[in-house]
Amino acid sequence: MEFNTKLLHGRAVKKYADGATLPQISQVSAFQYDSAQEQEDVFHHKAAGFAYSRVANPTVAAFEQRINEIEGGNAAIACSSGMFAITLSLLNMLCAGDEIIAGMGLYGGSIDLFEDLTKFDIRTRYVAHMTPEEIEPLINEKTRVIYGEVISNPSLEIMDIRAVADLAHEHGLPLIVDSTTASPYLINPITLGADIVVHSTTKYINGSGNSIGGIIIDSAKFKWDFDRFRALDGYRQFKNLAYTIRLRTDIWENMGGCMAPMTAFMNVIGLETLGLRMQRICDNAAELAKNLAELDGVEVNHPSLTGCTGYELANSQLHGKGGGILTFRVGSRERAYEVINSLKYAVRATSLGDTRTLVIHPASTLYIRSTQEQRIAAGVYDDLIRVSVGIEDVSDLIEDFTNAIRTAKTA
Ligand code: PLP
């Protein structure tokens, strides 16, 4: 089954109650039972059923099953936001004293989170580029995980997942990847060796910018050394399922960051058109990037352009597509503001992966908590504009951006 067919007819797409083609929105907190015994059986997982929506909910389960199938995982757990998915993907396996190795080009929110984790004595060592050559020298006896983004945002570097996963595994470490900016349309990181995948479903998966959400997908392929990964120690008997079982029955349930049923429903609808949207978005982004690169006074970055950092890996890993985000530099912050202000169709809004094209000046918004040094390391320059390309007619986008750049007077 090809990608778009699988989204509509995969194993996880069920005939729902009353023959419905989509899951019902089970907008309830609790589920009732006829007897105390029945309720006990559900609580002890001896009988199928739902007890309480923070722990499991049919609409959320329907979404989890669909994503899990599309990503080729063993289990998926939906969260209240992408940030909560990232937080839990790490806290589920880390203890105080452990270290993460990550790339400097991460989404600003993740860098802020890693700073927060230092208060719990979980530290992050950063590499400029997520390559085995840069990562290996930082691995020490405290390292417990390698974490990176498939397409870093907004530096648009692409991680060679197989190479980084091979290195991680040689050192007995799992690789967690944030695949939000690629989406399952461009890549299934588990097939290349990633152990755990996270997405902010807020972006391409939802696709219409109507709900905040996140998801963690566990491949269940990683062989946990329980003496080393002390956070999973009590789950030894579950072997390679330990990560999922601790997450589902312990930390995710107890921290209470579940996805709302309505969000799960919106995400199911979004997921069904992911392939169509992504194809259009990637084509639009490549075309827009090509046209903007021809203008004077702009420096464009998009992995579809030869000479851009992600070009080779986009070809080998992402079916030749460069994703839906492009960035360009215009010479100064003032000029960047002027360009942003005069755009007609592109919407000045944060987020990405929407149907409509979104623009933002990352240095003054997404990276306000970062130091200037961190900003430069993440490729966030003062004159840089990030564009999340939408599904509009590309000729209109080209005209809109070209006019805005050509008419910007500030040097
Ligand atoms: N990961 C990436 C790559 C992102 O761009 C974002 C948000 O922009 C997140 C994670 C966080 O997702 P959320 O806003 O759903 O918490």
Side-chain angles (χ1 to χ4, degrees), residues 34-51:
D34 290 338
S35 70
Q37 186 58 52
E38 231 185 300
Q39 201 168 16
E40 180 189 321
D41 290 346
V42 170
F43 263 73
H44 289 265
H45 307 290
K46 286 187 198 144
F50 297 88

Side-chain angles (χ1 to χ4, degrees), residues 31-69:
F31 299 80
Q32 59 178 322
Y33 290 94
D34 290 338
S35 70
Q37 186 58 52
E38 231 185 300
Q39 201 168 16
E40 180 189 321
D41 290 346
V42 170
F43 263 73
H44 289 265
H45 307 290
K46 286 187 198 144
F50 297 88
Y52 189 56
S53 281
R54 170 162 53 74
V55 179
N57 171 282
T59 320
V60 177
F63 172 59
E64 289 172 337
Q65 287 156 12
R66 287 187 185 213
I67 283 275
N68 190 47
E69 180 179 11

Side-chain angles (χ1 to χ4, degrees), residues 81-84 86 107 110 149 153 178 180-181 200-203 212-214 351-352 386:
S81 70
M83 284 317 301
F84 201 62
I86 295 169
Y107 163 62
S110 301
E149 288 172 11
N153 162 26
D178 177 344
T180 301
T181 45
S200 161
T201 61
T202 316
K203 317 294 181 193
I212 300 283
S351 201
L352 53 93
R386 186 188 79 183

Side-chain angles (χ1 to χ4, degrees), residues 69-142:
E69 180 179 11
I70 294 299
E71 280 291 27
N74 183 65
I77 294 175
C79 299
S80 53
S81 70
M83 284 317 301
F84 201 62
I86 295 169
T87 307
L88 282 196
S89 73
L90 293 163
L91 291 188
N92 191 44
M93 50 154 299
L94 296 178
C95 288
D98 291 345
E99 284 187 4
I100 303 165
I101 296 180
M104 283 175 187
L106 290 182
Y107 163 62
S110 301
I111 295 179
D112 291 348
L113 166 70
F114 292 173
E115 181 59 30
D116 293 335
L117 293 183
T118 61
K119 307 289 185 299
F120 299 89
D121 199 22
I122 294 170
R123 284 169 208 283
T124 304
R125 289 171 177 263
Y126 289 101
V127 289
H129 309 282
M130 284 295 285
T131 59
E133 296 70 31
E134 292 198 22
I135 295 169
E136 190 157 32
L138 294 194
I139 297 176
N140 63 34
E141 73 287 352
K142 290 184 176 174

